[in-house]
Amino acid sequence: MLTMTDIIRDGHPTLREKAQEVALPISADDKKTIDEMLEFLKNSQDEKMAAKYKLRSGVGIAAPQINISKRMLVIHFYDDQKDTYVTHQLINPKIVSHSVEMAYLPQGEGCLSVDENIPGLVHRYARVTVSAFTPDGEQVKHRFNGFTAIVLQHELDHLNGVMFYDHIDKKDPLTPKPGAIELK
Ligand code: K2U
Ligand code: NI
């Protein structure tokens, strides 16, 4: 199982690389990796497992964060509005369209690969349409909004060597951009 020792930290060159497309059909190795990434998120959200293995809670993870420079990401979290889990294992994901409108989390963002808190608003597209492949090789298209859109864009940034704090306005980190939606 993956633990925090498998997660590389800010400053590691892999976090600044553009990750490589995954060859399809996905290899057994890549399938194992993307399943371990999902297992990590589930474990990190399980009180007992997180305490036992000292896991930081995560709602998303991208392969470069475990030093695998491939275009694979996983998001997994409980959506209490829909009363169900949101779970996606996406291979070679691509934003094919997005809103003009921007959105942000009022508390800012964190990252499993960044140990310190970096305050500041991260403005992202409020809605994105993503084309990707599932581990079973099916091509899918998802329209994400709200928190899911934020998580997806945070993870997709990792595939392009972008860190969340790259988006923070250095001069005015805590001022929302005009028209941007504050997400609860
Ligand atoms: O990619 C990662 O480092 C995982 C991040 C993803 C993320 C952070 C902030 C905003 C959206 C996505 C971790 O999930 S950070 C921990 C966390 C946990 C619950 C809610 C928000 C952030
Ligand atoms: Ni991150």
Side-chain angles (χ1 to χ4, degrees):
M1 66 175 269
L2 292 174
T3 65
M4 295 308 291
T5 56
D6 298 296
I7 293 180
I8 58 174
R9 305 301 154 89
D10 208 4
H12 191 298
T14 302
L15 287 172
R16 289 301 186 178
E17 280 177 15
K18 184 166 172 48
Q20 295 299 305
E21 294 253 315
V22 174
L24 296 172
I26 187 171
S27 68
D29 255 10
D30 288 341
K31 172 80 166 85
K32 182 169 181 289
T33 298
I34 204 167
D35 285 344
E36 284 183 327
M37 289 161 65
L38 176 53
E39 182 199 35
F40 172 83
L41 295 180
K42 289 179 177 176
N43 290 340
S44 79
Q45 295 169 28
D46 176 293
E47 211 174 304
K48 286 198 176 61
M49 290 297 280
K52 183 173 178 186
Y53 294 100
K54 297 185 178 35
L55 306 179
R56 264 188 70 190
S57 172
V59 293
I61 190 166
Q65 292 183 276
I66 53 173
N67 204 18
I68 296 176
S69 197
K70 290 189 177 182
R71 304 188 77 77
M72 299 193 288
L73 64 84
V74 181
I75 60 181
H76 177 75
F77 58 89
Y78 188 71
D79 181 337
D80 39 28
Q81 281 169 340
K82 295 190 188 125
D83 191 21
T84 179
Y85 272 94
V86 172
T87 304
H88 294 286
Q89 294 176 295
L90 299 179
I91 295 158
N92 301 334
K94 190 172 167 32
I95 291 178
V96 293
S97 67
H98 59 78
S99 59
V100 170
E101 211 167 23
M102 305 296 278
Y104 63 93
L105 296 173
Q107 70 273 26
E109 297 190 7
C111 182
L112 295 171
S113 298
V114 178
D115 292 331
E116 65 279 352
N117 283 327
I118 303 178
L121 301 184
V122 179
H123 290 84
R124 298 187 185 276
Y125 300 126
R127 293 174 299 284
V128 290
T129 301
V130 177
S131 174
F133 290 87
T134 64
D136 303 334
E138 190 197 354
Q139 185 158 21
V140 291
K141 195 152 93 166
H142 292 293
R143 286 170 189 77
F144 294 124
N145 59 33
F147 182 69
T148 312
I150 299 291
V151 178
L152 185 278
Q153 292 172 83
H154 178 113
E155 301 313 329
L156 198 55
D157 269 355
H158 279 305
L159 304 186
N160 296 321
V162 175
M163 302 294 282
F164 74 91
Y165 56 78
D166 297 343
H167 298 286
I168 295 174
D169 183 326
K170 287 180 186 49
K171 285 185 298 303
D172 206 355
L174 295 173
T175 304
K177 288 182 180 174
I181 301 167
E182 178 182 298
L183 294 177
K184 294 287 169 256

